[in-house]
């Protein structure tokens, strides 16, 4: 047997189908395995990992494909989350259904993305980074302060009592009974998030291998040459911002429904940095790498959080170092080390040898959906 | 205009200065349809500056350009490409981390329409268009003779192949005017000869060529007409045989070495 | 009118501090085109070290002046060591990598510095011991403390010194050459590694001074204070024209004034709709405005995109 690599999967249809089946089975069983073996707190973390993967894939369009450094990306997540919170909570007494809110969140966040992009896209790389960072902070400061004189966001206290996600008459807040199976709430959220994450992965793959995706990468590689090829770089960059932001908006809405509570603290700069790190550490512009990055940076810090205290307890008999500080310290160290030793990320796209004669990459991956 | 004018590009008194340095002073020239037009001059004569004004990268400080019967909008590179001006760069500018064929496919951007929804939904129109883009890119790689490198990253190609790839990418935009900025730079005799054949073939396909070149032999052998720039001023414009004998040109540039 | 004068004074003091920090950003950017994201954290470390030293010596009976000087020396030493090592460890190996790599390491370093500080000094706010004379002077109906006068004067002196260093010494010439074109400078015999190290060290020393000033002026220091301060100082550097030394000074003072006046008057301007807790927002609006309308900054040179 040859080793199973993505490359070989592209060539061997049967292997691809088999791998897909295995992956599908693993993904289907995962919440039950995690829930039973590690407990519900870890299942929550897995659910969050799916949200972060959506975010990372959205940011990857902006940073990875188009090469635009956006450091305020979490603002779009906030837009989606606050939209959900305002439209489906006792705060205004509104209870708009999710299938209205989530698309609206995507559109509104996309609009915010275009709004931010329009005046700033002429800026060079690092300047763009700082302006987007400033934009993210502005959004957060407004969320923090728009509780007076008219109470819109409820300020630093945030909005609580947000409706759980419900579809038709089914709410995900309670265990679902389905063909005799009972699916607990966290598991149901898992499947919903998984479905949307897969949808976003599908959309991203399709975009990457399209006229628009090529234009994004062309701009990243050489903007002047891209212009000379007739690409309207301003519009295409705006499109990247809009698409990326709309993914953030979707994830934000899901977050609000899942968490039941939003406050400005969930959308601080550190969160933007986190998502950026997922993209860069995973392997910018490489979809599997970005997914890996999202997964790792959600799970590892939680792992440190859970183990930093007990391990010290076991070794020293008491907690010497603040576990939270220790966790972040290790995180910072990991960022530096990965960049020093693997500047292209942990799983960068290798020389892509695509078989253009015969099936294109998309066709093979389509079967993997 | 009802009849097609024989002039494809007309530059009227183009001026460009950087700070106090006059890079171009009232440069006027006209390029006829179907010809190979050479632009030569010593280093720093303003050839590349002219190119950059023509292709919209620089905003001219004076004068205007008329292309294919209409005024050309200044400083809008993507519109220049849209109108039918394609270019290559003196120091090759490829999309290094894209494969050769993807580079050429990017060149098709300006002549195709599929948007985000088409890309996601793969509707029949998008599928057809994507297939056509791909087919055309393959043809062009074959045309410039690097189809065997189609799936290699552009940055891994040899220097000569990169030059060819850049030409293929420019041709993908379906130009009326192909502007080549020193395409033979760094090439050996054989490669230069192959390039000459390629450029003649491009002209034979009905594309007008503007050529900046240092290789005087190549220019004189290939071009129908040649203009000479010196210190940002056009000092001569004529057929190669006349240009070669022009005393001003000999003094400024050829230094009597080609007589 | 006294509010106006008072806010001008507050703005000048704040602006002098921003300017000192902005110099660190602008020097590094000028010389290697890199935003040293960790610079704000260096200021924080400077503040924490200085505060700890002052706390330790407060009861020692040494004259106040000596205590401050020792605190400053300690803070400067620690910061310079950090600046030097950060460049060596996190930036130098990545000089040829893609642009995002040093940015990510810079973020990593910020996180490390911040949480090291959290481990060492805890999560609590630390009050600056009240050893400084609380004398206040009246000018035009506003008050200015001796400390504030000292801050503005010392900041001014340091900036003047830096100007002399850069414009009138051999080292300064090498530095300017490196920022103009590192390759050529190297060919001309400039050891650019040394110059870059020195730039980081000088910037960090200024950061230490700024750190002491902040903690003394606001009587408080905290492991998280570096982030916002750094961001604003960076804004100041961009406002003046990043890479430009005089621009950083001008940008710092201007930003300080804008913030102080903005915070003082935002309530009146918006009919009470927005209050002074929006103070932090001004820096970002200024930043975005400058970058959109005058990306090269107020006195930065215009860099055109070359083909």
């Amino acid at each position: 047997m040859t080793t199973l690599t993505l490359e070989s999967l592209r060539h061997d249809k049967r292997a691809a189908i088999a791998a897909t089946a295995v992956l599908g089975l693993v993904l289907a069983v995962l919440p039950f395995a995690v829930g039973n073996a590690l407990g519900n707190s870890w299942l929550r973390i897995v659910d969050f990992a799916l949200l972060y993967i959506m975010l990372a894939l959205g940011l990857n369009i902006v940073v990875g494909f188009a090469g635009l450094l956006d450091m305020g990306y979490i603002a779009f997540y906030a837009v989606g989350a606050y939209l959900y919170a305002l439209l489906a909570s006792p705060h205004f007494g509104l209870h708009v259904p999710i299938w209205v809110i989530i698309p609206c969140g995507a559109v509104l966040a996309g609009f915010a993305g275009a709004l931010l992009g329009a005046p700033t896209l002429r800026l060079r790389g690092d300047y763009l980074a700082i302006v987007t960072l400033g934009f993210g902070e502005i959004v957060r400061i407004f969320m923090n302060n728009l509780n007076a004189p008219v109470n819109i966001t409820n300020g630093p206290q945030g909005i609580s009592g947000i409706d759980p996600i419900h579809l038709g008459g089914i709410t995900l807040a309670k265990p679902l009974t389905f063909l005799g199976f009972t699916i607990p709430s966290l598991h149901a959220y898992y499947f919903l998030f998984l479905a949307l994450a897969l949808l976003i992965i599908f959309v991203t793959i399709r975009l990457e291998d399209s006229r628009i995706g090529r234009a994004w990468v062309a701009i990243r590689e050489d903007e002047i040459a891209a212009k000379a090829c007739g690409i309207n770089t301003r519009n295409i960059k705006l499109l990247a911002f809009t698409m990326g932001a709309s993914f953030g908006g979707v994830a934000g809405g899901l977050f609000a429904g899942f968490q039941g509570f939003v406050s400005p603290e969930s959308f601080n700069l550190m969160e933007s940095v986190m998502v950026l790190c997922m993209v860069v550490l995973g392997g910018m512009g490489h979809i599997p790498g970005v997914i890996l990055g999202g997964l790792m940076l959600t799970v590892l810090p939680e792992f440190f959080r859970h183990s930093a205290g007990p391990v010290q307890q076991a070794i020293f008999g008491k907690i010497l170092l603040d576990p939270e500080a220790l966790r972040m310290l290790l995180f910072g160290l990991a960022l530096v080390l990965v960049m020093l030793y693997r500047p292209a990320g942990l799983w960068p796209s290798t020389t892509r040898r695509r078989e253009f004669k015969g099936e294109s990459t998309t066709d093979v991956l389509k079967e993997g959906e | 205009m009802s009849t097609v004018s024989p002039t494809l590009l007309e530059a009227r008194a183009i001026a460009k200065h950087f700070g106090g340095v006059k890079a171009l002073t009232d440069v006027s020239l006209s390029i006829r349809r179907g010809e190979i037009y050479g632009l030569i001059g010593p280093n720093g004569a303003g050839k590349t500056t002219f190119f950059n004004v023509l292709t919209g990268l620089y905003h001219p400080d004076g004068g205007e350009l008329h292309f294919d019967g209409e005024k050309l909008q200044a400083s809008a590179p993507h519109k220049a490409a849209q109108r039918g001006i394609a270019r290559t760069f003196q120091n090759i500018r490829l999309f290094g981390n894209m494969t050769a064929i993807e580079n050429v496919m990017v060149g098709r951007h300006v002549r195709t329409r599929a948007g985000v929804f088409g890309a996601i939904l793969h509707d029949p129109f998008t599928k057809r268009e994507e297939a056509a883009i791909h087919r055309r890119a393959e043809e062009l790689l074959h045309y410039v003779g690097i189809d065997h490198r189609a799936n290699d990253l552009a940055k891994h190609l040899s220097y000569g192949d990169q030059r060819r790839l850049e030409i293929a990418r420019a041709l993908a935009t379906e130009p009326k005017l192909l502007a080549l900025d020193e395409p033979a730079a760094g090439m050996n005799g054989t490669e230069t000869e192959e390039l000459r054949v390629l450029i003649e073939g491009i002209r034979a396909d009905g594309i007008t060529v503007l050529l900046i070149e240092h290789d005087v032999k190549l220019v004189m052998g290939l071009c129908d007409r040649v203009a000479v720039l010196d210190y940002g001023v056009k000092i001569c414009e004529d057929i190669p045989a006349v240009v070669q004998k022009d005393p001003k040109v000999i003094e400024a540039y050829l230094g009597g070495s080609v007589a | 009118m006294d509010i106006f004068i008072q806010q001008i004074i507050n703005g000048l003091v704040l602006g002098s501090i921003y300017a000192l920090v902005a110099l660190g950003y602008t020097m590094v950017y000028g010389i290697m085109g890199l935003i040293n994201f960790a610079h704000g954290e260096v200021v924080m470390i400077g503040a924490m070290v200085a505060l700890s030293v002052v706390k330790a010596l407060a009861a020692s009976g040494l004259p106040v002046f000596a205590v401050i000087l020792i605190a400053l020396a300690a803070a400067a030493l620690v910061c310079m060591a950090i600046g030097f090592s950060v460049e060596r460890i996190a930036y130098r190996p990545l000089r040829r990598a893609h642009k995002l790599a040093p940015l990510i390491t810079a973020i990593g370093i910020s996180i490390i510095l911040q949480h090291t500080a959290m481990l060492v000094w805890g999560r609590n706010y630390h009050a600056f011991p009240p050893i400084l004379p609380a004398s206040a002077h009246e000018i035009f109906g506003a008050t200015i403390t001796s400390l504030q006068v000292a801050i503005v004067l010392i900041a001014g002196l340091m900036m003047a010194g830096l100007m002399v260093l850069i414009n009138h010494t051999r080292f300064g010439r090498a530095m300017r050459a490196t920022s103009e074109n590192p390759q050529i400078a190297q060919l001309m015999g400039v050891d650019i590694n040394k110059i870059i190290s020195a730039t980081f060290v000088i910037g960090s020393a200024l950061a230490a001074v700024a750190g002491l000033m902040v903690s003394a002026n606001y009587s408080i220091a905290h492991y998280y204070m570096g982030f916002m301060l750094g961001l604003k100082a960076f804004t100041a550097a961009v406002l003046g024209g990043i890479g430009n030394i005089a621009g950083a000074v001008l940008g710092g003072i201007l930003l300080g004034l804008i913030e102080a006046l903005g915070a003082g008057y935002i309530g009146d301007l918006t009919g009470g709709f927005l209050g002074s807790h929006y103070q932090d927002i001004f820096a970002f609006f200024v930043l975005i405005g400058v970058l959109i309308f005058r990306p090269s900054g107020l006195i930065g040179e215009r860099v055109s995109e070359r083909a």
Side-chain angles (χ1 to χ4, degrees):
Chain A
M1 271 309 281
T2 51
T3 48
L4 203 67
T5 63
L6 278 185
E7 213 51 51
S8 68
L9 287 183
R10 271 174 200 154
H11 295 281
D12 188 342
K13 257 189 174 178
R14 273 192 313 188
I17 292 168
T20 310
V22 171
L23 187 66
L25 195 68
V26 169
L27 288 177
V29 174
L30 186 74
F32 302 99
V34 170
N36 287 338
L38 301 167
N40 277 345
S41 66
W42 277 98
L43 187 51
R44 272 184 75 80
I45 292 164
V46 172
D47 288 359
F48 268 110
L50 288 169
L51 287 178
Y52 276 109
I53 286 171
M54 292 182 218
L55 282 177
L57 285 168
L59 185 61
N60 180 51
I61 290 184
V62 184
V63 180
F65 291 168
L68 303 163
L69 186 47
D70 182 351
M71 297 214 25
Y73 183 69
I74 212 70
F76 307 123
Y77 188 55
V79 166
Y82 265 86
L83 186 76
Y84 189 108
L86 294 177
L87 293 184
S89 74
H91 185 60
F92 287 146
L94 294 172
H95 300 281
V96 180
I98 172 178
W99 52 269
V100 176
I101 301 180
I102 297 290
C104 281
V107 171
L108 190 70
F111 181 70
L115 209 65
L116 162 70
T120 55
L121 286 178
R122 288 182 314 153
L123 302 174
R124 286 210 326 266
D126 331 346
Y127 281 10
L128 184 66
I130 302 296
V131 170
T132 47
L133 190 156
F135 171 79
E137 284 299 296
I138 287 176
V139 168
R140 196 178 59 83
I141 292 172
F142 270 110
M143 290 185 307
N144 240 326
N145 293 306
L146 277 182
N147 52 345
V150 185
N151 187 359
I152 301 171
T153 62
N154 207 27
Q157 289 84 37
I159 298 171
S160 51
I162 299 170
D163 298 353
I165 292 176
H166 52 102
L167 291 158
I170 310 161
T171 169
L172 298 193
K174 296 190 193 101
L176 294 178
T177 310
F178 182 72
L179 297 176
F181 288 105
T182 303
I183 303 177
S185 170
L186 280 173
H187 297 59
Y189 273 109
Y190 169 85
F191 286 112
L192 176 70
F193 291 180
L194 181 66
L196 282 161
L198 286 176
L199 180 71
I200 283 180
I201 292 172
F202 171 76
V203 167
T204 317
I205 289 172
R206 279 279 169 96
L207 281 175
E208 184 187 26
D209 220 355
S210 73
R211 173 176 174 267
I212 302 294
R214 284 190 298 271
W216 282 333
V217 177
I219 289 172
R220 181 191 76 198
E221 292 291 310
D222 189 327
E223 188 167 350
I224 288 175
K227 281 181 184 164
C229 284
I231 294 171
N232 183 337
T233 51
R234 192 178 51 99
N235 288 0
I236 295 288
K237 282 177 177 180
L238 266 188
L239 194 57
F241 257 98
T242 309
M243 289 302 299
S246 66
F247 289 8
V250 170
L254 297 175
F255 166 74
F258 178 53
Q259 187 84 342
F261 167 71
V262 295
S263 78
E265 269 326 289
S266 304
F267 311 104
N268 59 26
L269 178 79
M270 201 52 221
E271 291 290 312
S272 284
V273 167
M274 223 24 169
V275 180
L276 181 67
C277 291
M278 290 172 184
V279 175
V280 179
L281 283 191
M284 264 197 308
H286 187 226
I287 295 169
V290 172
I291 297 172
L292 175 75
L295 197 62
M296 272 182 42
L297 287 195
T298 323
V299 174
L300 284 185
E302 291 302 327
F303 177 74
F304 287 139
R305 190 207 298 278
H306 284 257
S307 51
V311 167
Q312 288 188 54
Q313 197 83 48
I315 298 176
F316 307 112
K318 60 180 178 199
I319 292 178
L320 288 173
L321 301 172
D322 188 334
E324 170 67 13
L326 202 58
R327 171 176 86 101
M328 293 307 292
L329 212 56
L330 288 171
F331 173 60
L333 210 58
L335 287 186
V336 175
L337 289 178
V338 172
M339 278 300 107
L340 286 182
Y341 294 104
R342 297 204 64 139
L346 291 171
W347 191 358
S349 72
T350 48
T351 313
R352 290 164 299 162
R353 293 178 192 286
R354 292 188 190 160
E355 286 292 326
F356 275 100
K357 295 164 190 157
E359 297 151 331
S360 76
T361 321
T362 6
D363 288 332
V364 177
L365 284 166
K366 199 165 51 190
E367 290 165 18
E369 292 301 320
Chain B
M1 271 187 208
S2 52
T3 52
V4 178
S5 146
T7 304
L8 179 64
L9 176 85
E10 194 178 349
R12 294 178 191 157
I14 298 294
K16 176 77 197 170
H17 41 80
F18 298 104
V21 184
K22 283 185 176 167
L24 294 172
T25 312
D26 295 343
V27 174
S28 297
L29 48 83
S30 61
I31 299 175
R32 296 171 195 153
R33 280 176 207 279
E35 73 177 346
I36 299 178
Y37 188 98
L39 189 60
I40 62 172
N43 273 329
K47 297 164 298 192
T48 296
T49 306
F50 181 80
F51 248 52
N52 288 341
V53 170
L54 171 67
T55 51
L57 285 177
Y58 288 168
H59 195 97
D61 295 309
E64 52 187 44
L65 291 155
H66 287 253
F67 181 74
D68 205 12
E70 273 176 62
K71 194 168 179 288
L72 195 64
Q73 193 187 332
S75 54
H78 68 275
K79 287 201 173 138
Q82 178 92 46
R83 290 283 305 279
I85 300 174
R87 71 171 290 174
T88 63
F89 293 86
Q90 191 177 335
N91 36 1
I92 309 171
R93 303 190 82 131
L94 288 166
F95 308 122
N97 287 310
M98 296 175 96
T99 60
I101 195 161
E102 282 173 323
N103 268 269
V104 185
M105 289 168 86
V106 170
R108 293 300 298 154
H109 183 91
V110 71
R111 302 291 168 221
T112 46
R113 292 192 297 124
V116 166
F117 293 106
I120 296 169
L121 301 174
H122 268 205
D123 58 300
F125 168 80
T126 309
K127 268 187 169 161
R128 267 200 309 279
E129 188 182 272
E130 192 70 5
I133 291 172
H134 191 254
R135 209 176 322 115
R136 183 69 188 136
E138 278 180 334
E139 285 167 14
L140 284 166
L141 285 179
H142 180 71
Y143 183 80
V144 300
I146 51 169
D147 39 349
H148 58 291
R149 307 296 309 266
N151 295 322
D152 291 323
L153 290 188
K155 65 179 179 191
H156 293 153
L157 298 189
S158 71
Y159 184 77
D161 285 352
Q162 289 193 351
R163 286 257 175 232
R164 288 160 180 276
L165 178 56
E166 219 189 2
I167 293 174
R169 188 180 68 187
L171 287 174
T173 66
E174 290 173 29
K176 296 190 175 95
L177 175 69
L178 176 65
L180 303 172
D181 196 347
E182 298 200 17
M187 284 189 170
N188 62 30
T190 328
E191 286 171 328
T192 308
E193 178 52 24
E194 286 169 359
L195 179 72
R196 198 183 60 76
V197 174
L198 179 62
I199 295 175
E200 279 189 334
I202 290 169
R203 188 256 296 270
D205 291 340
I207 296 169
T208 310
V209 177
L210 167 60
L211 181 67
I212 289 184
E213 193 42 74
H214 260 318
D215 187 331
V216 176
K217 222 175 84 192
L218 178 69
V219 173
M220 295 305 177
L222 191 59
C223 295
D224 301 303
R225 290 191 307 142
V226 174
V228 186
L229 287 183
D230 190 26
Y231 292 109
V233 180
K234 190 181 81 175
I235 56 170
C236 179
E237 179 186 32
D238 216 314
I239 58 169
V242 176
V243 170
Q244 262 170 307
K245 297 204 172 73
D246 190 306
K248 271 192 290 185
V249 176
I250 294 170
E251 192 193 321
Y253 178 57
L254 304 173
S257 65
V258 181
Chain C
M1 269 328 266
D2 54 337
I3 285 201
F4 181 73
I5 303 283
Q6 189 64 56
Q7 294 298 1
I8 294 269
I9 291 171
N10 293 347
L12 274 178
V13 174
L14 187 60
S16 309
I17 297 171
Y18 285 160
L20 279 184
V21 184
L23 283 169
Y25 281 105
T26 224
M27 285 196 302
V28 168
Y29 192 90
I31 219 154
M32 47 195 303
L34 168 92
I35 297 175
N36 177 14
F37 245 90
H39 191 61
E41 307 306 333
V42 178
V43 180
M44 177 273 295
I45 299 275
M48 296 305 252
V49 170
L51 185 136
S52 305
V53 173
V54 170
K55 228 182 212 171
L57 298 180
S60 66
L62 283 168
V64 172
F65 185 70
V67 171
I68 293 292
L69 221 54
I70 294 171
L72 192 57
L77 272 178
V78 172
C79 288
M80 283 153 87
I82 289 175
F84 179 80
S85 349
V86 164
E87 191 271 328
R88 283 303 282 270
I89 296 166
Y91 299 146
R92 187 170 297 182
L94 291 172
R95 253 181 238 162
R96 272 183 251 303
H98 66 93
K99 281 207 83 141
L100 280 182
L103 185 82
I104 299 287
T105 48
I107 292 171
I109 295 282
S110 300
I111 295 173
I112 292 173
L113 289 178
Q114 212 178 80
H115 292 88
T116 308
M118 189 168 156
L119 285 179
V120 175
W121 288 285
R123 296 172 183 231
N124 299 326
Y125 286 81
H126 292 260
F128 196 88
I131 58 163
L132 297 165
S135 58
H137 315 272
E138 288 267 330
I139 320 177
F140 306 118
T143 51
I144 183 166
T145 62
S146 306
L147 173 66
Q148 288 178 316
V149 175
I151 286 177
V152 174
L153 284 182
I154 293 172
L157 272 177
M158 306 222 45
M159 289 183 257
L162 186 68
M163 294 282 199
V164 171
L165 177 74
I166 287 173
N167 290 318
H168 300 286
T169 64
R170 221 178 108 78
F171 168 78
R173 197 165 58 227
M175 208 175 138
R176 280 179 287 141
T178 308
S179 83
E180 205 64 46
N181 187 331
Q183 277 85 32
I184 304 281
Q186 208 159 16
L187 288 176
M188 297 294 137
V190 175
D191 182 348
I192 61 166
N193 283 333
K194 241 185 213 159
I195 297 293
I196 290 174
S197 284
T199 307
F200 271 84
V201 168
I202 295 171
S204 305
L206 295 177
V209 178
L212 173 63
M213 287 175 173
V214 178
S215 56
N217 192 43
Y218 297 99
S219 307
I220 213 153
H222 184 227
Y223 81 96
Y224 198 64
M225 66 190 270
F227 164 66
M228 204 43 125
L229 186 65
L231 207 55
K232 287 180 178 172
F234 178 80
T235 302
V238 173
L239 176 61
I242 192 150
N244 183 319
I245 303 283
V249 175
L250 178 72
I253 307 253
L254 264 181
L255 187 68
L257 288 173
I258 292 170
E259 274 199 355
L261 291 175
Y265 288 100
I266 186 171
D268 295 342
L269 286 175
T270 58
F273 183 70
L274 302 177
S276 61
H277 41 257
Y278 281 95
Q279 179 179 359
D280 286 345
I281 235 168
F282 294 110
F284 299 115
F285 276 117
V286 167
L287 177 69
I288 292 176
V290 171
L291 285 176
I292 290 167
F293 296 109
R294 210 180 148 77
S296 51
L298 293 176
I299 48 178
E301 54 205 85
R302 200 148 177 80
V303 196
S304 76
E305 196 176 29
R306 298 213 60 160

